[in-house]
Amino acid sequence: MLLNNAVGFGGCGVVYWTVAVQLHLFLVYPLLLALLHTSVGPERLARTSGILFSLIIPAISLARYASSLARHVTLPLPALGHPDLDPAWIEPILSYFHGPLGYYSTLTRATNFLVGALLGLLVLDPGRWAALRRRRGAWAAVSLAALAAWAALVPLRRPFLAPPDRATAQAWPARASAVWAALGYHASLPVSFLVATGLAALMLFPRAAPARALGRLSPLEPYTFHAFLLHIPVMYWAEAWLAPRGALLRLTLAAPLAGLAALVLAVWCASLAAAAALGALERAVLQPALSRTLAVVGW
């Protein structure tokens, strides 16, 4: 599992490469904090960490941008397994996904993790949080701006919705490809900022309708990580069922934002249902069986 993000395209289980990245970050992050604690002392730890993380995020993004330009990576990338694929595409595809700054790289995904760390530094510091509460209207504007920016990026997904048997790509300009690569191909870095600003806004306005609605979903919390691990297989199943009928392509091309939102909602509802079913199976069958096994061996 520790090396799963370096194996194949996503490794075993498709989505479990993300678990490998999380394990790497959970191992390195405490060591980094311990080093900073020793170097600058506890009084300056939060401030130094915030400054450092704010510098690391754009530095990694700029490095990905430069790497994409240097390797002449042109998005969208064609399907690697297509029999008519031009051999010249193979190296850019492999480097894009599995290079030191590739899609599955822990270094690349550290940007998402550090956005969450910055949010934690903001929320857990009483002084900063009190100052933010006094300016919560401005923060709400920032959150809405992040949502609008993400919505503006959604139509750019259209070129990625080509038929899966295509051997060549409708090439984007080099700089446009590099910008998209710097954002994480599927705009993962802007989504991280959107989630962080949105969560802070919900905490600043706990009586607002979105915050109350989110609170009603708290019973689903035990299943969210399971649903995350299941959402890729569910999405592939949906694509396999919808794509041959042309429904998926028509939906997303006709209404990119609404179509994507509907697809995401359907996939996550199905994933949560599957996660709840697996959780019930685990409690009813697997946990009792494990307890009996441990009792037999004397543990």
Side-chain angles (χ1 to χ4, degrees):
M1 186 60 73
L2 279 170
L3 299 176
N4 202 44
N5 63 325
V7 178
F9 273 75
C12 62
V14 183
V15 77
Y16 293 111
W17 68 268
T18 62
V19 180
V21 169
Q22 292 174 53
L23 288 173
H24 300 162
L25 294 171
F26 291 156
L27 289 172
V28 172
Y29 186 65
L31 297 176
L32 176 61
L33 291 182
L35 179 62
L36 290 174
H37 185 278
T38 304
S39 302
V40 303
E43 298 81 6
R44 300 173 59 188
L45 177 61
R47 180 180 179 84
T48 304
S49 300
I51 294 173
L52 180 62
F53 299 162
S54 299
L55 294 174
I56 290 176
I57 292 170
I60 293 176
S61 298
L62 287 173
R64 282 175 58 80
Y65 176 85
S67 175
S68 177
L69 283 180
R71 292 180 177 273
H72 307 289
V73 173
T74 308
L75 301 180
L77 296 170
L80 183 63
H82 195 279
D84 298 328
L85 179 68
D86 186 338
W89 273 103
I90 295 176
E91 196 280 332
I93 292 174
L94 291 177
S95 67
Y96 180 85
F97 282 100
H98 287 292
L101 292 165
Y103 182 82
Y104 298 116
S105 164
T106 299
L107 184 60
T108 296
R109 296 295 164 172
T111 56
N112 305 44
F113 182 87
L114 293 179
V115 169
L118 287 173
L119 177 63
L121 290 172
L122 176 65
V123 171
L124 297 177
D125 184 279
R128 291 190 180 92
W129 186 245
L132 186 60
R133 286 185 63 85
R134 292 192 294 269
R135 299 174 178 84
R136 61 179 188 169
W139 187 269
V142 170
S143 180
L144 291 175
L147 178 60
W150 177 81
L153 288 172
V154 171
L156 295 179
R157 287 178 56 88
R158 289 187 182 198
F160 296 105
L161 299 172
D165 61 345
R166 191 170 70 177
T168 59
Q170 179 64 42
W172 289 15
R175 292 194 179 277
S177 296
V179 168
W180 196 257
L183 296 177
Y185 202 175
H186 297 299
S188 58
L189 186 54
V191 170
S192 298
F193 278 106
L194 170 63
V195 171
T197 56
L199 286 175
L202 292 174
M203 296 171 68
L204 289 168
F205 297 90
R207 296 183 181 179
R212 295 200 304 271
L214 189 63
R216 295 190 185 100
L217 297 178
S218 57
L220 298 176
E221 182 181 352
Y223 309 110
T224 52
F225 189 71
H226 297 75
F228 164 72
L229 296 178
L230 289 168
H231 84 279
I232 290 293
V234 170
M235 183 177 68
Y236 284 170
W237 177 86
E239 289 179 349
W241 188 77
L242 292 171
R245 296 162 175 81
L248 181 61
L249 190 61
R250 288 197 300 272
L251 175 66
T252 49
L253 290 179
L257 188 58
L260 180 63
L263 181 62
V264 168
L265 180 62
V267 166
W268 274 96
C269 285
S271 301
L272 283 168
L278 288 175
L281 177 65
E282 179 183 359
R283 291 189 298 272
V285 179
L286 298 181
Q287 288 182 356
L290 179 60
S291 298
R292 288 194 295 269
T293 302
L294 293 177
V296 168
V297 298
W299 284 10

